[in-house]
């Protein structure tokens, strides 16, 4: 089978298209023929430098967290899925490996049946943002109908999901993004959109029950004046200062800082959330936002684009043509 492999850290051209052995599913595994995957914002960093994927060389030579495809084979003990099922989901840090034609995964991995109203490309674009936004807003933010919620970075993978998910809970949503993305964020259901190049949300008179920074570009100190008396500040990019503020605000004051290690949650929790996310999709409350699609052999170009930091929603790698 074809796969995008890297054996050393470096620029996008370390990603090479190679022929490798097709996996055979174990007794409790499903073999998925991948039709689409994504280049998440974290992928270029894992390709570029030692850290999450090893130190002297890549621990996992194939990157990629998210997939959509069809079950081609199942192990003898598999009960959840059968051959021919259309599925989508997340491999997690322990597996990675979706830049390829086939992937074996445990049947209890974060997988769900493909939403009836979505293509493979669209479904692959969903988990990155939605599996982050749901636990942040629902579990850490305790979002409720009628609350005022501000999403900072509303045009990215997490932000576009967060806008729609917050609306599904009945919140009044303000999105913050650049000029080029104002109309797109409004089309996702945002009640109000702030162009950060023209207006600083911390300097107007509005207050919010939840401020969710999906890109790590704001701060609690700057934002706390824009929180209601019992407001919650959420961020996907923790720093030493954020960790201290989480501890401090858990003991002092009414305004809270909260974070969530969404990528490290148990597979069972992610799988349950995928079912919830699928329900939102099929109810018309959540749609995929795809900026660009690249064929597998152009994955290095996809990395170059994601590294610009200006992608809208998701960048998808398609394999259906292979």
């Amino acid at each position: 089978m074809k796969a995008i492999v890297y054996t050393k850290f470096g620029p996008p051209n370390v990603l090479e298209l190679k022929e490798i052995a097709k996996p055979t599913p174990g007794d409790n595994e499903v073999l998925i023929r991948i039709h689409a995957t994504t280049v998440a914002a974290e992928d270029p960093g894992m390709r570029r430098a030692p850290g999450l994927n090893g130190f002297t060389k890549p621990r996992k030579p194939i990157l990629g967290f998210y997939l959509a495809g069809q079950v081609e084979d199942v192990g003898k003990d598999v009960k959840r899925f059968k051959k021919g099922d259309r599925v989508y989901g997340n491999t997690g840090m322990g597996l990675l490996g979706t830049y390829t034609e086939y992937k074996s995964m445990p049947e209890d991995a974060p997988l769900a049946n493909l939403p009836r109203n979505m293509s493979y490309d669209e479904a692959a674009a969903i988990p990155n943002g939605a599996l982050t936004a749901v636990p942040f807003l629902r579990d850490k933010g305790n979002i409720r109908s009628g609350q005022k919620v501000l999403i900072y970075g509303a045009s990215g993978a997490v932000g576009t999901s967060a806008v729609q998910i917050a609306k599904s809970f009945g919140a009044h949503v303000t999105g913050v993004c650049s000029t080029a993305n104002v109309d797109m964020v409004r089309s996702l259901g945002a009640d109000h959109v702030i162009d950060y190049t023209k207006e600083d949300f911390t300097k107007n008179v509005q207050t919010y029950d939840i401020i969710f920074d999906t890109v790590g570009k704001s701060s609690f100190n700057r934002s706390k004046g824009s929180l209601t008396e019992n407001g919650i500040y959420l961020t996907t990019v923790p720093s030493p200062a954020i960790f201290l503020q989480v501890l401090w605000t858990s003991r002092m004051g009414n305004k809270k800082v909260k974070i969530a290690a969404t990528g490290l949650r148990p597979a069972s929790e992610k799988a349950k959330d995928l079912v919830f996310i699928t329900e939102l999709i099929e109810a018309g409350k959540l749609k995929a936002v795809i900026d660009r699609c690249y064929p597998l052999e152009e994955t290095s170009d996809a990395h170059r684009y994601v590294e610009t930091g200006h992608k809208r929603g998701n960048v998808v790698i398609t394999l259906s043509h292979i």
Side-chain angles (χ1 to χ4, degrees), residues 10-15 39-40 43-44 47-48 99 292 294 297-311 315 317:
N13 60 13
V14 300
L15 300 171
V39 177
D43 292 8
R47 181 215 74 230
R48 191 167 49 238
Y99 292 4
R292 296 184 182 184
Y294 293 82
E297 60 269 24
E298 295 178 13
T299 299
S300 59
D301 291 334
H303 270 239
R304 289 185 185 93
Y305 179 63
V306 171
E307 283 183 305
T308 66
H310 298 302
K311 72 178 179 68
V315 171
I317 302 297

Side-chain angles (χ1 to χ4, degrees), residues 66 124-136 156-162 165 212 262 277 286 313-314:
Y66 308 100
I126 286 289
N128 182 15
L131 282 175
T132 301
V134 166
F136 264 100
V158 178
T160 52
S161 290
I165 289 166
F212 183 18
T262 57
I277 289 163
L286 178 62
N314 299 270

